[in-house]
Amino acid sequence: MISASKINYSNLANFRFTKIAGKYLLTTDTGRWIFLEIEEFEKFLEGKLKKNTPIYEKLSKGGFIKAKKTEIAEYASKYLKLNASLAQGPSLFIFVLTLQCNHRCLYCQVTPEKEGAKGFDMSREVAKKSVDLAFRTPSKHVSIEFQGGEPLLNWPVLQYIVKYAKALNKTEKKQLKISLISNMTLLDEKKLAFLLKEGVSLACSFDGPDYVHNKNRIYLDKRGGSYKPFIENLKKTQKSIKQKREKNRNVFVDQLNAVLTTTRFSLPYPKEIVDEYIARGFDNIFIRPLSPFGLQRKTIDVIGYSAEEFIKFYEEALDYILELNLAGAFFVERNAALALKRILNYSDASYYEMRSPCGAGIGQMAFDYNGNIYTCDEGRMAERMGYDNFKLGAVFGDKYDEIVDNEVTRTMCLGSSLDNQAGCNDCVYRPYCGICPLANFIEYGTIFPQVLNTDKHKINKALFDYIFTKISDEKYKKIFESWIS
Amino acid sequence: MIGYNAKETKILENKINLILFHFFIMKAIINQKNNSVTFLVDTKIYLKDVIYKACYVFIDRMYIFLNTSGKGDTIEVTLKGKKTLTRKNIERLEGEFMNELLNCLVRENISKRNQKVLEQIVGGAMGSALGINDISGDEYRQDNENEERIGEDMEIERAVENLRKELEAIEAEDDYEGDMLGIRNIISGSEMLDSKKKNPAKSLARKNKQAKKKNNVKRK
Amino acid sequence: MSKENKTSLKFARALYSPESIEIAAREFAESAELAISKNKDYTEVLIAHKGDEDISSEFANYALFLTIQSR
């Protein structure tokens, strides 16, 4: 039992700690971590560790021992590396091309309009103004991401934005990336050819075998689930990407990525879902839980589950994925990989959900079809649900500075700063974690919820507990390192 | 009392009174007819601002009525369900409210303690988004798989060395104890917005750009 | 008024700002007749409901909401 009266604070730097698997895990604000046996931890606190021992050297190098003045700059530089994206400015720009969709996925976050509905498409004028604003960012990176509804339903404006952004970039010279998030069912060969020619990265939602995918992702016109046409177009896309890579070996061609949204229908099938991904040619999966936006508020009784149920599913999937990797396959769980970038590389994964403060307004923004600008994609989703608290401005009438520098942005920064949240501030995983004030507002009515009682906290903690439990075992650490190399 | 001296008796009596006070006086009063529960909150522990914050969280979910209690440093809180509640659920209202009260209290303390840090980080991040802090973070972005990282470690080492020199130069002005991480000089808040002083971060960015140019020339 | 239906609410000045109560009273003027009287410690509001609905809880909540917002 550690006696508080014996702690020698003069030697201790700022760190957080917890007990995992019988040892103490310590972390610092630069993302460095170390496991100590109980006795070592006690000696460390009491200032009784001998200098020039390996453990003392490790603690000193990790920043756990109070830095000399000459070491502070190095510490600061390490902190900057872990949080580099904070210093860049907005680089992700969501373009909501349309609210029309040909699907009614049970978990849809958007609250979409029917395919063919009028008045819900982004116009060229709005598109042009949005691209102009996006390029005002001080960041050297501009990532344009097409979302919807189903963005392919506004194909002419999609093409326009691609062309216009590239033309503008000839003078702006940013690192430009354009991606499309699509359900893939409307992707014909002509569109695919254009997208590949223009170097647009593709991503889709894929929920696993047909008996899961078809339950979640259903056509609007009651045709049932869209697994079959999705798979057909998936195969065509993957084949086309492969051909393009073979023809143009010096040109980077992004792979097609997929995201899994977990519903109650997914829970019994973690292995089967991973197997399906592998069978369909993917070498990675992004497993994500439900979010509190959009249609799923209405379908939650059918598709919902507890945080504990999701964690069980996620850990089973991760266990299976690690087994596959141990057997020689290479398959990545991307959510874990993003966390591992911070944990093993001590570097910023530029993932706004694992950042403090989050990206709302300062790392990303969303241009809605009608020209309104929101803090993030979730901000415009919240507006569709009746919450207009997250609007930053409009493309016509508001300048870039006014859009970024306003009360909403500031509030979101404060609401997503882990140093400002009870429970997060002292958490051992604070260097790696993030919080979504928007989701908290929708779910708990406040951007400062009782964090430890939120489902997101439980899920994030389970992920970090899992990683840190495995990471001491060299065979798993090697796999984790291969995921981020 | 037998066995106690006068002073000890007084102390014991006060303790008993406090316990009785908390048990009987502080004990929540449930009014099922009114669909409400009334209880006292100690304002020595929970300041008025914290009570208001907790009220704000619940104000759309229940009716809240505050009153001075006339009983020491306490405020009387009445919570009333918007729909008819069972007795058990009425009791739960107090527990939920007290939990939120504690959350608000802890957060209040954390916000005060971390105010400077928050100002630095939030101010810096917003400044960067406005292009005021000219820190080039591009060296650390790895979302482009084709980006070469060979020069990155060397650049970071050079950056650290330059930063160390610059910080040593202004060390005398800096509050060592109050700015342990040296964050103020990397991502600084309001000072950066109107500062015309030498900006170590800007110098770092300039030097990083120069180093990058040199590397590019070498590779060619 | 279809029915005589009155509620009296006392708002401690230490906890509810009188200005917020006045603003709330103006907002609720359509649903009830509100008479405000003030003394050193309290602002008293006499609510004569116009319909059958008792709006006193809503009124008290709104007064609290405005008080918090004004801080």
Side-chain angles (χ1 to χ4, degrees), chain A residues 80-306:
Chain A
L80 182 59
K81 187 182 170 193
L82 186 67
N83 299 285
S85 61
L86 287 180
Q88 285 179 22
S91 56
L92 174 62
F93 301 92
I94 312 283
F95 281 65
V96 182
L97 295 185
T98 180
L99 290 184
Q100 290 183 67
C101 193
N102 61 343
H103 276 54
R104 265 310 167 270
C105 303
L106 296 184
Y107 50 68
C108 183
Q109 302 177 89
V110 171
T111 323
E113 296 290 336
K114 289 181 187 174
E115 185 183 356
K118 302 287 178 206
F120 298 101
D121 294 346
M122 184 179 274
S123 67
R124 256 189 204 218
E125 292 71 32
V126 167
K128 182 182 182 298
K129 209 70 180 103
S130 303
V131 173
D132 288 342
L133 275 169
F135 273 88
R136 288 294 319 276
T137 178
S139 173
K140 286 231 156 69
H141 296 261
V142 168
S143 181
I144 289 175
E145 189 176 286
F146 296 127
Q147 294 265 13
E150 170 47 54
L152 292 175
L153 285 169
N154 193 0
W155 180 246
V157 173
L158 187 156
Q159 287 180 294
Y160 172 76
I161 292 171
V162 170
K163 294 283 189 192
Y164 181 63
K166 286 181 148 190
L168 197 57
N169 201 38
K170 284 188 177 146
T171 41
E172 294 292 333
K173 297 195 191 317
K174 305 270 191 192
Q175 295 246 24
L176 176 64
K177 178 178 176 180
I178 306 178
S179 357
L180 164 68
I181 319 298
S182 169
N183 63 36
M184 306 275 287
T185 57
L186 299 173
L187 190 62
D188 58 36
E189 277 159 21
K190 216 171 160 188
K191 292 190 174 84
L192 181 58
F194 173 85
L195 294 167
L196 289 178
K197 181 172 171 275
E198 298 295 338
V200 176
S201 297
L202 299 169
C204 59
S205 275
F206 182 23
D207 287 358
D210 57 346
Y211 47 86
V212 179
H213 188 100
N214 278 340
K215 283 219 168 85
N216 293 333
R217 300 187 62 78
I218 48 185
Y219 275 110
L220 172 65
D221 58 7
K222 297 177 186 172
R223 265 187 281 160
S226 61
Y227 178 85
K228 205 163 163 224
F230 166 76
I231 292 293
E232 277 168 22
N233 282 344
L234 176 72
K235 284 180 184 170
K236 281 184 204 162
T237 306
Q238 286 170 326
K239 192 177 169 190
S240 303
I241 288 173
K242 191 178 172 195
Q243 281 171 351
K244 193 173 182 204
R245 280 177 171 172
E246 281 164 4
K247 271 188 192 166
N248 306 284
R249 287 188 188 275
N250 293 329
V251 174
F252 172 70
V253 183
D254 205 356
Q255 64 182 31
L256 171 67
N257 279 322
V259 168
L260 167 73
T261 303
T262 312
T263 67
R264 178 156 286 282
F265 303 124
S266 323
L267 297 182
Y269 306 112
K271 286 187 184 176
E272 290 82 352
I273 290 170
V274 171
D275 283 340
E276 177 75 9
Y277 263 67
I278 293 171
R280 297 299 171 192
F282 290 102
D283 65 0
N284 68 83
I285 187 171
F286 197 130
I287 301 175
R288 62 175 188 184
L290 294 169
S291 70
F293 302 100
L295 282 182
Q296 54 196 317
R297 301 289 274 180
K298 295 179 185 171
T299 57
I300 198 72
D301 290 338
V302 174
I303 62 173
Y305 41 75
S306 67

Side-chain angles (χ1 to χ4, degrees), chain A residues 13-14 29 66-81 83-91 136-141 143 175 177 250-252 254-255 341 345 347-348 350 352 355-357 361-363 400-402 404-406 409-410 413-414 417-423 425-426 430 444-446 448-451 453 484-485, chain B residues 53 56-58 60-61 95-108 110-115 117-119 121-147 149 152-153 156-157 159-165 167-168 171 174 176-177 179-183 186-187 204 209 212:
Chain A
N14 186 48
D29 283 310
K66 202 171 241 180
K68 297 173 206 158
K69 286 187 180 183
T70 50
E71 291 168 346
I72 290 174
E74 189 176 332
Y75 192 93
S77 179
K78 286 175 182 173
Y79 180 88
L80 182 59
K81 187 182 170 193
N83 299 285
S85 61
L86 287 180
Q88 285 179 22
S91 56
R136 288 294 319 276
T137 178
S139 173
K140 286 231 156 69
H141 296 261
S143 181
Q175 295 246 24
K177 178 178 176 180
N250 293 329
V251 174
F252 172 70
D254 205 356
Q255 64 182 31
K341 197 161 179 196
N345 265 4
S347 63
D348 199 328
S350 300
Y352 302 121
R355 200 182 92 154
S356 171
I362 55 170
Y400 177 84
D401 287 5
E402 289 164 347
V404 172
D405 185 16
N406 66 52
T409 308
R410 236 171 269 125
C413 280
L414 289 171
S417 288
L418 299 180
D419 302 298
N420 203 24
Q421 293 279 1
N425 177 63
D426 300 315
R430 187 248 168 273
Y444 306 105
T446 171
F448 297 113
Q450 294 168 33
V451 171
N453 284 340
I484 56 171
S485 64
Chain B
K53 278 180 178 155
Y56 200 75
V57 172
F58 285 103
D60 58 340
R61 286 180 250 172
E96 278 187 41
F97 187 86
M98 292 308 293
N99 266 4
E100 184 57 40
L101 207 54
L102 187 61
N103 183 48
C104 292
L105 176 67
V106 173
R107 204 179 57 74
E108 180 91 350
I110 287 170
S111 292
K112 280 184 186 151
R113 210 174 70 206
N114 291 345
Q115 186 183 351
V117 167
L118 281 166
E119 280 169 8
I121 294 172
V122 171
M126 285 190 69
S128 296
L130 291 166
I132 292 164
N133 299 339
D134 187 18
I135 298 169
S136 176
D138 307 322
E139 290 82 1
Y140 308 113
R141 277 192 69 89
Q142 295 180 26
D143 62 342
N144 184 345
E145 289 168 28
N146 272 353
E147 247 180 56
R149 294 188 202 98
E152 192 180 277
D153 286 343
I156 291 167
E157 289 220 6
V160 165
E161 188 51 42
N162 293 333
L163 199 56
R164 188 180 294 130
K165 285 179 188 162
L167 282 172
E168 277 171 6
E171 197 183 60
D174 202 0
Y176 173 83
E177 291 301 327
D179 188 17
M180 272 295 295
L181 303 184
I183 299 304
I186 307 301
I187 306 172
L204 171 62
K209 278 182 192 170
K212 204 174 181 185

Side-chain angles (χ1 to χ4, degrees), chain C residues 2-21:
Chain C
S2 54
K3 212 175 169 176
E4 193 73 10
N5 196 1
K6 290 183 182 176
T7 313
S8 171
L9 295 174
K10 274 167 91 172
F11 296 98
R13 288 173 80 108
L15 298 171
Y16 293 82
S17 79
E19 296 75 27
S20 298
I21 292 167

